C-alpha cells in the first residue's frame, strides 16, 4: 500500500534564500538564520530520538522527551533520518518543513513524508513548539507510531505423494507466571512444574530464580497430544502455572526424521546480527537438516506494517485505536518437496526403537536415487548418525574388495584360499569364532563372501594394491562427493597405506571410513549397475536414474565421478556374490521376502582398545528397487544384530 502522505495534494510553499526574501517582502520579513538553526537542532534531536537538551515554547526539553519516547515507543528502535527542507519566517514566528525517511525492516522501500513545526522567537532565541504531528502529520495527543514486522508463513516440507512431513501445528507453551507466585514458593513451583513436564528441574529453577518478579518463564512447548497427556489435576495445584496456545513448525509426529528434517527455532540476537538485515526480530529459522539447508526458500520474506496507535501513559496500547499508514505484505515461503516416504520412515524408526546404541537405517531407490528413509535411533541422542557418522565398514567392504578382484580377472566361481588364520606384514587375521569349518580351505569366491571369510580377502593384498582397492571403493561411491540436499559424509579411503594397514583394509578394517548413508548408496550402485547419486529432493533425479532426460543427463555428467566407473558386467558379478549371501550365507532370513530376489552383505567392524574389542554391526541389502543400510554402533555380529532390523524394514517396504 502506498504511503498516503505521498499523495498529499496540498503542499506548503517553501521559501528559500533570496526567493524567501522576495516572497516575504510584502510582509517586511526575511528568512531568519536563527530559526533555521533551531529547526536543524530539532531535526538532529528527532533523528537521535533525544530532544531533552532543546528549548521548546510549550514545555521543557525533559517533558517533550517523555512525550517523544511515548510516540516512538513501539517503532522497534529504528532511527529516522530527519532533515529540514525549508523555513518561513514572519516576525517572531516561523514554520519549518521536516523531511522524514524511515528505513523500514523487511523491505527495500523507505517510508518518506514531510511534517511541519512552528517556532517562536523568545528572549532572543527560537523555540520549537512540540506536538505529536511533528513526528507524523496525523498523530494527535494520545497517539504514537507502531512499526511491526509480519512474519511470513513458512513453507511446508512434503514427502512422497506430497504427504506433509513438517508443518505448522498447534502447541501449548507451559510455564510459570511469577506475578502469581510468591517469592518463597518459586523454587518449589519450578521443581513441581519441571517434574510434571519431564524437564531438568535444576535448569528450570535457575531460569525462574534469574527472572524478574513480573516475568512469565516458559518451561516447555508441548504438542497437543503431549499436553493432553499431562495430569491436569496435578498441574492445577502448581502456583502460577500457565499454559498458552500457540503454533510451531513441527514434524508430522514426535521425533519423525528429526535429524534429517531439522527444527524451526526463534532467531537469536546473534542470528539477527549475522543476517545482514535479512532477519528481523521475531523471525523463526531452520536449525539442522532440510530446514537449515533450504532456509532461504522455506522462510519466505517478512512484511512490515506502520500504524498510528492509541497509547496510554503506561505505554500500553489503546484497544481499537489503530490507523494503518503503510503495509508491505509478507511473502510466504515455498514448500519443499522431498522423496521421503512417510510410511517407510516410520517403519525404519520403529525398527530401531529397542536399540540403545547409536544406530540408523537408510533406504534408497536405486533406479532414480530417491532417498526414501533416513532414520536414527534414540541412542544417537540427536546426532545424525546416518548421514554424518564415520565408521569402519567391516565385512560389508568385501564387496569393494571383490570388485577389485573381478577387475583382476576373477569371477564368483574363482577358487580362493580361506585358512582359519592368516598372517602377513605384521598383521594377524582370523575368521570369527563361529565360522563354519566346511567353508574353510579352498572355496569359491561366492562362498567366501556368503560366509564372510576374513582370511581369503586379507590374502589378496599382494595382487590387489591399495590403489586398486581405493578405485573399486570409489566406483561404489566411497569418497565420491554427493549432494542429496543435506550434509552427508561420503566416506574416505586412502590411496596409499602402509603394508599392514593395507592388509586390514582388504576386509574393511584399517583407516577406511563410511557412513550408513554412503553404504546405502554403495549397495544401490551395485543394483543400478552404475554410481547412484542419492537425493532427498523430489524431481532432482540422481545419476542412477534409467529414464533421465537431457537435463538430468547433463546434471549427472557434472556430478563428481569415480576414477574408474562401475560397468554392467562388474555389477552383475557383484550381484551374484551378494545373492549368495542370501541364498546360502548369513542373510538367509531375507529369503523369506517375496519375490525371493534379495541380495546383501553383513559386516562386523572392531573398534576401540577394549579386550575383547567392541564391534559395529552392519547389514547392507537390496530387494527389487530398494537399497538399504542398517548400522548399530555397539552390536554383535552383523547377522545377529542387524538382520532382524533389516528384515523388518524390507517387509514394511513390501506392504507400502
Amino acid at each position: 500500500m502506498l504511503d498516503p502522505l505521498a499523495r498529499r495534494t496540498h503542499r506548503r510553499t517553501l521559501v528559500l534564500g533570496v526567493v524567501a526574501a522576495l516572497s516575504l517582502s510584502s510582509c517586511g520579513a526575511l528568512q531568519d538564520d536563527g530559526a533555521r538553526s533551531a529547526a536543524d537542532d530539532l531535526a538532529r534531536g528527532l533523528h537521535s530520538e533525544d530532544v531533552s537538551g532543546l528549548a521548546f515554547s510549550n514545555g521543557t526539553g525533559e517533558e517533550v522527551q517523555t512525550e517523544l519516547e511515548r510516540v516512538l515507543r513501539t517503532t522497534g528502535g529504528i532511527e529516522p533520518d530527519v532533515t529540514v527542507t525549508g523555513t518561513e519566517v514572519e516576525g517572531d514566528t516561523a514554520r519549518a518543513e521536516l523531511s522524514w525517511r524511515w528505513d523500514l525492516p523487511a523491505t527495500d522501500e523507505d517510508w518518506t513524508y514531510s511534517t511541519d513545526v512552528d517556532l517562536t522567537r523568545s528572549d532572543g532565541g527560537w523555540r520549537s513548539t512540540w506536538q505529536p504531528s511533528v513526528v507524523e502529520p496525523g498523530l494527535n495527543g494520545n497517539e504514537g507510531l507502531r512499526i511491526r514486522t509480519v512474519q511470513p508463513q513458512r513453507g511446508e516440507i512434503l514427502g512422497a505423494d506430497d504427504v506433509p512431513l513438517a508443518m505448522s501445528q498447534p502447541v501449548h507453551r507451559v510455564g510459570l507466571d511469577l506475578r502469581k507466585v510468591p517469592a518463597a514458593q518459586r523454587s518449589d513451583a519450578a521443581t513441581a512444574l519441571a517434574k510434571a513436564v519431564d524437564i531438568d528441574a535444576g535448569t528450570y529453577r535457575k531460569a525462574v530464580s534469574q527472572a524478574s518478579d513480573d516475568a512469565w518463564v516458559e518451561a516447555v512447548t508441548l504438542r497437543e497430544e503431549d499436553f493432553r497427556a499431562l495430569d491436569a489435576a496435578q498441574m492445577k495445584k502448581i502456583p502460577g502455572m500457565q499454559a498458552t496456545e500457540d503454533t510451531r513448525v513441527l514434524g508430522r509426529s514426535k521425533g519423525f526424521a528429526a535429524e534429517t528434517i531439522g527444527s524451526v527455532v526463534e532467531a537469536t540476537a546473534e542470528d539477527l546480527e549475522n543476517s545482514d538485515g535479512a532477519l528481523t526480530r521475531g523471525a523463526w529459522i531452520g536449525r539442522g537438516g532440510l530446514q537449515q539447508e533450504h532456509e532461504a526458500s522455506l522462510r519466505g520474506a517478512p512484511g512490515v506494517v506502520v500504524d498510528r496507535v492509541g497509547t496510554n501513559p503506561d505505554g500500553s496500547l489503546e484497544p481499537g485505536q489503530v490507523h494503518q499508514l503503510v503495509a508491505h505484505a509478507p511473502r510466504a515461503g515455498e514448500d519443499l518437496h522431498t522423496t521421503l516416504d512417510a510410511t517407510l520412515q516410520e517403519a525404519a524408526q520403529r525398527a530401531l526403537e529397542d536399540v540403545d546404541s547409536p544406530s540408523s537405517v537408510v533406504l534408497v531407490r536405486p533406479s532414480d536415487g530417491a532417498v526414501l528413509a533416513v532414520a536414527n535411533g534414540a541412542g544417537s541422542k540427536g546426532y545424525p548418525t546416518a548421514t554424518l557418522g564415520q565408521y569402519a565398514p567391516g565385512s560389508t567392504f568385501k564387496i569393494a574388495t571383490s570388485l577389485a578382484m573381478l577387475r583382476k580377472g576373477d569371477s564368483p566361481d574363482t577358487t580362493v584360499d580361506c585358512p582359519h588364520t592368516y598372517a602377513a606384514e605384521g598383521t594377524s587375521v582370523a575368521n570369527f569364532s563361529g565360522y563354519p569349518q566346511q567353508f574353510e580351505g579352498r572355496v569359491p569366491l561366492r562362498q567366501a563372501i556368503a560366509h564372510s571369510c576374513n582370511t581369503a580377502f586379507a590374502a589378496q593384498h599382494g595382487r590387489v594394491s591399495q590403489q586398486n582397492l581405493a578405485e573399486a571403493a570409489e566406483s561404489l561411491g566411497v569418497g565420491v562427493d554427493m549432494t542429496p540436499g543435506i550434509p552427508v559424509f561420503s566416506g574416505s579411503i586412502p590411496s596409499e597405506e602402509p603394508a599392514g594397514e593395507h592388509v586390514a583394509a582388504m576386509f574393511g578394517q584399517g583407516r577406511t571410513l563410511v557412513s550408513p548413508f554412503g553404504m546405502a548408496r554403495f549397495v544401490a550402485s551395485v543394483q543400478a549397475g552404475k554410481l547412484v547419486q542419492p537425493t532427498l529432493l523430489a524431481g532432482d533425479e540422481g545419476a542412477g536414474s534409467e529414464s533421465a532426460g537431457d537435463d538430468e543427463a547433463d546434471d549427472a555428467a557434472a556430478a563428481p565421478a569415480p576414477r574408474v566407473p562401475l560397468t554392467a558386467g562388474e555389477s552383475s558379478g557383484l550381484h551374484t556374490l551378494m545373492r549368495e549371501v542370501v541364498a546360502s550365507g548369513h542373510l538367509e532370513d531375507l529369503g523369506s521376502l517375496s519375490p525371493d530376489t534379495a541380495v546383501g552383505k553383513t559386516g562386523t567392524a572392531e573398534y576401540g582398545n577394549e579386550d575383547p574389542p567392541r564391534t559395529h554391526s552392519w547389514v547392507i541389502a537390496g530387494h527389487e528397487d530398494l537399497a538399504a543400510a542398517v548400522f548399530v554402533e555397539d552390536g554383535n555380529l552383523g547377522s545377529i544384530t542387524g538382520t532382524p532390523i533389516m528384515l523388518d524394514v524390507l517387509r514394511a517396504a513390501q506392504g507400502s
Side-chain angles (χ1 to χ4, degrees):
M1 183 182 75
L2 292 175
D3 178 0
L5 296 174
R7 297 177 176 171
R8 291 169 59 186
T9 58
H10 175 72
R11 302 288 294 175
R12 186 179 309 279
T13 301
L14 302 181
V15 186
L16 304 174
V18 175
V19 176
L22 293 174
S23 63
L24 295 174
S25 60
S26 61
C27 300
L30 296 174
Q31 180 175 350
D32 190 300
D33 288 339
R36 176 60 185 251
S37 177
D40 286 337
D41 289 342
L42 177 63
R44 284 190 289 269
L46 293 170
H47 165 69
S48 63
E49 300 182 10
D50 183 2
V51 296
S52 59
L54 301 181
F56 291 88
S57 64
N58 57 342
T60 66
E62 288 77 9
E63 291 171 339
V64 174
Q65 178 66 27
T66 299
E67 271 293 287
L68 180 64
E69 290 175 358
R70 178 190 62 77
V71 169
L72 301 180
R73 181 176 289 118
T74 52
T75 56
I78 302 172
E79 290 186 349
D81 289 331
V82 188
T83 57
V84 179
T85 53
T87 57
E88 290 179 339
V89 180
E90 186 170 356
D92 290 334
T93 64
R95 176 164 289 184
E97 183 178 69
L98 305 178
S99 174
W100 290 75
R101 184 178 67 82
W102 296 79
D103 183 9
L104 297 178
T107 178
D108 293 331
E109 296 184 34
D110 294 336
W111 179 36
T112 60
Y113 58 89
S114 297
T115 64
D116 295 325
V117 58
D118 291 327
L119 300 97
T120 58
R121 196 195 313 262
S122 176
D123 299 328
W126 289 91
R127 297 171 182 263
S128 302
T129 300
W130 164 256
Q131 52 187 349
S133 61
V134 169
V135 176
E136 196 280 327
L139 289 175
N140 63 35
N142 74 328
E143 289 183 324
L145 291 179
R146 177 177 65 180
I147 300 175
R148 56 190 175 92
T149 52
V150 181
Q151 296 303 327
Q153 179 178 340
R154 192 174 181 87
E156 295 186 349
I157 295 181
L158 307 173
D161 299 322
D162 282 346
V163 172
L165 305 183
M167 57 287 189
S168 183
Q169 300 180 48
V171 296
H172 293 263
R173 300 171 60 198
V174 182
L176 291 177
D177 183 350
L178 299 189
R179 295 174 301 177
K180 301 177 181 179
V181 188
Q185 297 180 24
R186 288 177 186 170
S187 178
D188 289 343
T191 301
L193 183 56
K195 181 178 179 181
V197 298
D198 194 24
I199 63 172
D200 182 72
T203 301
Y204 188 56
R205 278 197 304 270
K206 182 177 180 181
V208 168
S209 68
Q210 294 176 343
S212 61
D213 290 340
D214 60 350
W216 183 79
V217 186
E218 184 171 344
V220 69
T221 298
L222 297 174
R223 293 172 179 267
E224 183 75 23
E225 60 270 24
D226 293 331
F227 179 74
R228 299 300 176 195
L230 296 175
D231 186 331
Q234 177 187 3
M235 299 289 285
K236 288 181 180 179
K237 295 178 182 178
I238 301 173
M241 191 285 296
Q242 180 178 323
T244 59
E245 295 182 358
D246 205 341
T247 59
R248 291 285 186 274
V249 175
L250 302 171
R252 60 183 281 114
S253 58
K254 190 173 183 178
F256 180 88
E259 298 81 14
T260 304
I261 289 177
S263 59
V264 179
V265 301
E266 189 167 8
T268 65
E270 183 178 2
D271 293 325
L272 300 181
E273 182 178 350
N274 294 335
S275 74
D276 195 26
L279 297 176
T280 57
R281 188 162 42 185
W284 290 77
I285 61 173
R287 284 270 194 269
L290 293 165
Q291 293 284 14
Q292 181 169 331
E293 287 298 305
H294 303 274
E295 170 68 14
S297 60
L298 285 166
R299 184 176 71 235
V304 62
V305 174
V306 182
D307 300 315
R308 287 203 309 262
V309 294
T311 60
N312 296 316
D314 63 359
S316 62
L317 300 184
E318 185 70 28
Q321 192 174 334
V322 176
H323 177 74
Q324 191 175 93
L325 300 174
V326 178
H328 294 281
R331 174 175 56 80
E334 300 173 12
D335 291 343
L336 182 67
H337 298 263
T338 77
T339 59
L340 288 173
D341 184 300
T343 300
L344 292 182
Q345 178 69 35
E346 289 166 346
Q349 292 179 188
R350 284 195 303 272
L352 297 173
E353 281 181 347
D354 297 328
V355 181
D356 295 329
S357 167
S359 58
S360 65
V361 170
V362 180
L363 302 177
V364 174
R365 190 163 57 217
S367 62
D368 61 3
V371 179
L372 305 181
V374 184
N376 297 293
S380 293
K381 297 181 179 179
Y383 182 76
T385 300
T387 52
L388 298 182
Q390 300 186 23
Y391 303 99
S395 291
T396 59
F397 196 71
K398 291 171 183 173
I399 300 303
T401 309
S402 296
L403 175 56
M405 293 169 66
L406 295 179
R407 289 175 173 174
K408 294 291 184 180
D410 291 349
S411 75
D413 294 314
T414 296
T415 300
V416 295
D417 288 322
C418 176
H420 186 68
T421 60
Y422 177 80
E425 307 293 348
T427 300
S428 180
V429 181
N431 291 327
F432 67 93
S433 59
Y435 190 89
Q437 291 185 356
Q438 65 268 34
F439 295 109
E440 291 184 337
R442 299 280 292 172
V443 298
L445 179 58
R446 67 172 70 230
Q447 290 299 324
I449 277 283
H451 300 283
S452 205
C453 179
N454 292 336
T455 58
F457 291 92
Q460 300 296 317
H461 72 96
R463 61 191 290 259
V464 174
S465 69
Q466 183 66 26
Q467 175 87 4
N468 297 152
L469 189 62
E471 289 175 349
E474 287 177 7
S475 299
L476 299 173
V478 177
V480 180
D481 288 344
M482 48 183 160
T483 55
I486 57 174
V488 295
F489 176 63
S490 62
S492 64
I493 179 170
S495 292
E496 296 181 4
E497 284 280 43
E501 291 285 353
H502 175 53
V503 172
M506 297 294 290
F507 59 101
Q509 294 286 168
R511 296 194 299 167
T512 301
L513 294 174
V514 297
S515 68
F517 193 99
M519 291 308 288
R521 178 201 207 183
F522 184 99
V523 65
S525 298
V526 173
Q527 292 170 271
K530 54 186 174 181
L531 182 63
V532 168
Q533 298 292 349
T535 181
L536 280 154
L537 307 180
D540 182 19
E541 291 188 323
S545 172
E546 296 176 353
S547 58
D550 292 339
D551 291 342
E552 286 79 10
D554 290 343
D555 291 342
R563 287 173 285 184
V564 183
L566 183 68
T567 68
E570 292 166 349
S571 171
S572 177
L574 296 179
H575 191 277
T576 297
L577 293 173
M578 295 176 71
R579 175 61 189 161
E580 195 68 40
V581 181
V582 177
S584 66
H586 291 162
L587 286 176
E588 285 183 313
D589 287 351
L590 300 191
S592 63
L593 297 171
S594 180
D596 182 11
T597 56
V599 299
K601 183 69 186 80
T602 59
T604 307
E606 296 180 349
Y607 76 100
N609 300 316
E610 298 180 17
D611 188 16
R614 300 164 75 180
T615 55
H616 303 320
S617 178
W618 286 96
V619 176
I620 57 174
H623 184 241
E624 299 299 286
D625 195 13
L626 187 65
V630 169
F631 172 77
V632 177
E633 185 173 297
D634 288 311
N636 204 317
L637 297 175
S639 58
I640 295 174
T641 301
T643 300
I645 297 172
M646 179 65 79
L647 189 57
D648 283 350
V649 172
L650 295 182
R651 281 177 174 165
Q654 284 187 310
S656 65

